[in-house]
Amino acid sequence: MSENKCPPSKPCKKGAPTWMVTFADLMSLLMAFFALLYAMSSIDPFKFQQVATSLQSVFGDQRSSILEFDGTTLIELNPDSIVENDQKENERFQEIVERVEQQFEREQNVQIEVDPDALTVTLTFQGEALFPSGTALLMPEFRRQLMNLSFLRDYQELDLLVQGHTDRVPLNRGLQYRTNWDLSASRAASVGEFLLDQGFIQPRSLRVEGRADSMPLSAEGDFANYHLDRRVQVIITEQ
């Protein structure tokens, strides 16, 4: 039987066990702990399982650990976890992207931009067939294009932002709208009201903005490309 070794100034109690945690052991445990925290916060189940397997090897038992219970990982034990929720959200967003691309694949004057990090799809409608000059009345061709957004009825957890944009040319006096700010806001509102009337979106999920010429695509003085600035953007965001 091995003897307990205690400091001379502090006698050992009879039968008291002795143990020692080295600095290397402490660092290993801390590393495993922070790796576990990282794995649990990751949205990638495959990476989570990789880290879990590595930690099981470190702890010396590949069949049981704090990451696994009866062969079931924490991801499976908690279906409402952040990992699972993020997976479902990403899958739903990808489905929305596919439906947008399918509905607008034949539209020549509609550009689609996808931001997977912000879970946002931006549709940019351009061309002379949006509104008659100086008005906010939807032209028949533009109405037809907007009907492609009917699939939005199938998704309740969406935010929709409609932005109206104009070129730099000031409006003539005596027209219905005083400035390009007024005109762009009215055009955005016309699109939003059309989508509401069709039942594509709920009022609580809709916002409209008039941006006038504050976000131009053409250079100042490049009159040949001012038509690029006259556009409407419909921005779909997953909540």
Side-chain angles (χ1 to χ4, degrees):
M1 180 180 296
S2 60
E3 294 184 356
N4 296 335
K5 296 181 180 180
C6 301
S9 60
K10 192 172 184 180
C12 296
K13 294 181 180 180
K14 185 177 181 181
T18 61
W19 53 273
M20 179 182 297
V21 177
T22 66
F23 181 77
D25 292 335
L26 179 61
M27 291 300 100
S28 297
L29 291 172
L30 285 175
M31 181 187 69
F33 174 71
F34 285 115
L36 171 61
L37 291 180
Y38 171 77
M40 293 177 67
S41 65
S42 174
I43 62 173
D44 189 336
F46 177 73
K47 291 182 180 179
F48 181 93
Q49 190 59 50
Q50 282 185 318
V51 174
T53 302
S54 299
L55 290 178
Q56 289 168 9
S57 299
V58 170
F59 291 131
D61 187 350
Q62 298 193 16
R63 299 190 63 183
S64 63
S65 75
I66 59 174
L67 297 176
E68 187 170 337
F69 179 77
D70 292 339
T72 304
T73 64
L74 288 179
I75 297 174
E76 297 168 328
L77 284 172
N78 185 10
D80 296 326
S81 66
I82 296 176
V83 175
E84 285 295 317
N85 288 338
D86 286 345
Q87 273 190 307
K88 293 177 182 178
E89 188 177 71
N90 289 332
E91 290 174 358
R92 186 168 57 247
F93 176 70
Q94 186 58 41
E95 181 181 320
I96 293 171
V97 171
E98 292 174 357
R99 296 192 69 173
V100 168
E101 292 175 343
Q102 180 183 5
Q103 291 296 114
F104 290 92
E105 62 181 351
R106 296 184 180 180
E107 303 294 345
Q108 299 298 321
N109 66 330
V110 180
Q111 297 180 359
I112 301 172
E113 298 178 34
V114 178
D115 186 344
D117 295 327
L119 298 180
T120 296
V121 183
T122 301
L123 292 164
T124 301
F125 298 86
Q126 293 175 314
E128 302 300 327
L130 302 182
F131 307 93
S133 179
T135 77
L137 299 175
L138 301 179
M139 296 185 72
E141 177 64 13
F142 192 20
R143 288 173 176 267
R144 183 194 63 78
Q145 290 179 332
L146 292 175
M147 289 299 295
N148 290 325
L149 292 171
S150 60
F151 73 90
L152 293 177
R153 292 194 189 105
D154 300 334
Y155 302 93
Q156 299 298 318
E157 298 181 356
L158 290 178
D159 287 329
L160 203 70
L161 170 62
V162 181
Q163 290 183 338
H165 302 266
T166 66
D167 58 29
R168 297 179 177 86
V169 180
L171 295 180
N172 294 326
R173 293 182 179 180
L175 294 179
Q176 180 180 359
Y177 302 100
R178 297 170 301 155
T179 65
N180 281 325
W181 289 101
D182 192 8
L183 176 60
S184 63
S186 295
R187 287 180 169 178
S190 293
V191 173
E193 289 172 357
F194 177 83
L195 298 177
L196 288 174
D197 291 342
Q198 299 299 320
F200 296 169
I201 193 74
Q202 298 299 315
R204 65 177 180 275
S205 303
L206 176 66
R207 291 184 297 136
V208 296
E209 290 182 353
R211 303 307 301 265
D213 59 349
S214 63
M215 302 173 65
L217 299 179
S218 66
E220 187 172 3
D222 185 10
F223 299 102
N225 288 316
Y226 271 15
H227 66 280
L228 298 176
D229 301 330
R230 299 189 292 270
R231 65 196 190 278
V232 170
Q233 290 184 305
V234 176
I235 304 170
I236 305 168
T237 303
E238 176 77 25
Q239 291 182 1

